Amino acid sequence: MNTLVRQGEARGVFGNYQIPPQFLDEVFSNAGKVNPQYESIYRQFMQFSKEDFKELNEHAKKSFFNQGITFSVYNDKAKGLERIFPFDLFPRIISAAEWARLEEGIIQRCVALNLFIQDIYSTKHILKDKVVPAELIFSSKNYMKEMLDIKPVAGVYNHISGTDLIKHSDGEYYVLEDNIRCPSGISYVLTNRVAMKRSLFQMFKEFNVSTVQEYPQELLATMQSVAPDGVVAPTYVVLTPGIFNSAYFEHAYLAHNMGIPLVEGRDLFVDNNFVYMKTINGPQKVDVVYRRVDDEFLDPMAFNPKSVLGVPGIMGAYRKGNVSLLNAPGTGFADDKAVYTYMPDIIRYYLDQDPILNNVKTYRCEKEDEYKYVMENMEKLVIKPVDESGGYGILIGDRASKEEISEFKILISQNRRKYIAQPIMSLSMHATFIEGEDCFEPRCVDLRTFTLLGKDRSFVLKGGLSRVALKKGSLIVNSSQGGGSKDTWVMKD
């Protein structure tokens, strides 16, 4: 990095900002000019001295502490340690026109995925037509034969989707992956906005920013739309694995904001293929469950018999149509990172449309020619397991040691189905306040969007979770790997 911001007036917290020439900086051009949609907010932030901004930053952290916004990391040495989620006050801005195109592409993708899941658990036309190889589906650990011929209300399986995107140095958005099991992060989107308003209210109200606070009610409306047929006044619950789950804060937050009970498996039981909740007034029938318990642990009678997190018999009630589950069990085979390589074909097959959003070039290690390429070019690639999340199990070739690359070659050779590889993409960068340096520096960002599908309705939140790789030079943005986040402003016309 050797290009300084040449505004002639750059000072304060931006005084030492350096633009990385090989990356796309969303705030500044390579010539050092502020991009038009950031001009107003930049001028206002530039008025802060370092001391002013440090004080504001501390105020924002207190806001998160007071809201109880925490997460835990499974591999922390201190098990159960709760952390405050790092937040950066300088927002990411997306224009209305840019967002409209993104939203169109996201809905297209989610609708195609839903049709794909429906087809796989019923007629399997796409396999018979050899558009997607059958062995790819049936070898996925997330394919659930227990879902065969189950027909959810309105044919909706992936009610809640989290689509991860990056903006590349060519200025185009690319989908990194689809998350349609239990995508998390929405609570941080909502609380980021609260922290932003509390810290910079006067500044915030000067901008015409789309709201994000309607999400809980949109989620509740989605749950209402897929209640079992004939139920007049449905009862809804959020099912959590409990307080030791890394996303427990989010489970509690959503339940509270929808005004519905947060329950654990032990709070529910099944009788005669109906689900009931234990209450002080006796059993209460439950009709719609937003479950944040993974498939494997959802029902010990159907899946893992050792699970104590789920509800025995709930799959039987689901099969009978007496309860709706969000998301449907068994959706995970469709967000397998190897299946991702077929998404353009899946969209064309079901919708007869060209994909609106780009896929990243992806190599499947179980294919002989692609495996050979990966093994010979690992230093140019990002290696990912197909069924992990949270940034775990990833190797970034140009930052890995020779020993790490050798270890990964062995891992891949032992289970080629489990790994894919992608070129090292140049994630866009965004001005981010770095504690300790007390100034803004460029950091890589991605974007998780949140989509709801229900009966005759779809909704994409105008905003999203912009995750930031706080470590200098890092491409890993996950909170579990030391990442932070920003408020994402989708501007109104």
Side-chain angles (χ1 to χ4, degrees), residues 389-400:
S389 59
Y392 292 104
I394 288 178
L395 177 124
I396 300 176
D398 66 347
R399 292 149 201 228

Side-chain angles (χ1 to χ4, degrees), residues 169-180:
S169 54
D170 61 7
E172 294 287 327
Y173 280 97
Y174 289 78
V175 176
L176 268 189
E177 59 188 58
D178 305 283
N179 298 278
I180 52 175

Side-chain angles (χ1 to χ4, degrees), residues 222-487:
T222 300
M223 295 176 73
Q224 289 170 336
S225 77
V226 295
D229 292 339
V231 177
V232 177
T235 297
Y236 314 97
V237 298
V238 175
L239 174 62
T240 176
I243 60 172
F244 294 110
N245 185 272
S246 63
Y248 179 75
F249 164 77
E250 177 156 303
H251 308 162
Y253 183 91
L254 287 173
H256 175 74
N257 282 278
M258 287 191 285
I260 65 176
L262 176 69
V263 299
E264 297 183 24
R266 59 189 174 182
D267 299 318
L268 303 179
F269 69 93
V270 175
D271 183 38
N272 197 26
N273 286 319
F274 285 90
V275 179
Y276 294 90
M277 173 172 53
K278 301 170 189 171
T279 78
I280 57 173
N281 297 315
Q284 180 178 356
K285 187 164 74 71
V286 172
D287 305 292
V288 185
V289 178
Y290 176 24
R291 55 100 184 180
R292 297 295 295 262
V293 175
D294 291 343
D295 291 356
E296 183 184 0
F297 304 102
L298 183 60
D299 182 349
M301 294 174 67
F303 305 119
N304 184 345
K306 296 181 180 177
S307 173
V308 294
L309 301 176
V311 184
I314 197 170
M315 282 300 292
Y318 182 55
R319 178 174 287 280
K320 290 284 186 182
N322 294 333
V323 68
S324 292
L325 300 176
L326 280 67
N327 282 342
T331 57
F333 78 85
D335 70 12
D336 183 306
K337 294 180 180 64
V339 172
Y340 161 93
T341 62
Y342 290 93
M343 274 309 296
D345 298 319
I346 290 170
I347 291 169
R348 292 189 188 96
Y349 184 80
Y350 292 109
L351 302 178
D352 194 24
Q353 300 170 358
D354 288 327
I356 295 169
L357 297 175
N358 303 301
N359 255 31
V360 178
K361 169 70 177 173
T362 303
Y363 302 92
R364 288 175 46 208
C365 293
E366 64 176 350
K367 297 180 73 172
E368 196 59 42
D369 56 338
E370 297 183 14
Y371 170 69
K372 185 172 184 294
Y373 178 83
V374 170
M375 297 300 268
E376 292 175 354
N377 295 277
M378 203 169 284
E379 71 283 355
K380 303 175 187 174
L381 300 168
V382 178
I383 313 296
K384 298 179 179 177
V386 298
D387 50 5
E388 296 284 352
S389 59
Y392 292 104
I394 288 178
L395 177 124
I396 300 176
D398 66 347
R399 292 149 201 228
S401 65
K402 289 182 179 179
E403 291 75 19
E404 288 171 325
I405 287 178
S406 296
E407 290 172 7
F408 256 74
K409 285 183 176 179
I410 293 171
L411 286 174
I412 295 171
S413 66
Q414 291 173 339
N415 189 353
R416 288 165 55 176
R417 168 67 177 85
K418 186 177 174 66
Y419 291 94
I420 55 100
Q422 295 174 331
I424 299 171
M425 299 291 284
S426 299
L427 277 64
S428 59
M429 290 199 162
H430 199 287
T432 303
F433 187 74
I434 304 301
E435 288 191 35
E437 302 296 332
D438 296 338
C439 62
F440 277 88
E441 293 183 357
R443 289 291 188 271
C444 290
V445 291
D446 79 347
L447 175 65
R448 171 167 290 186
T449 61
F450 295 89
T451 305
L452 302 173
L453 295 182
K455 183 179 181 181
D456 302 324
R457 70 191 318 275
S458 62
F459 170 80
V460 182
L461 186 70
K462 285 184 170 50
L465 186 62
S466 285
R467 299 180 296 185
V468 185
L470 292 177
K471 294 178 184 173
K472 194 169 188 174
S474 175
L475 299 175
I476 304 293
V477 298
N478 304 75
S479 57
S480 54
Q481 308 287 317
S485 71
K486 287 177 167 291
D487 194 13

Side-chain angles (χ1 to χ4, degrees), residues 21-48:
Q22 71 275 33
F23 289 89
L24 173 71
D25 191 305
E26 296 192 16
V27 182
F28 302 101
S29 71
N30 280 340
K33 299 291 185 183
V34 182
N35 290 328
Q37 63 194 26
Y38 282 94
E39 282 181 356
S40 182
I41 191 84
Y42 171 69
R43 281 199 301 273
Q44 298 204 38
F45 269 70
M46 204 171 59
Q47 295 172 12
F48 294 126

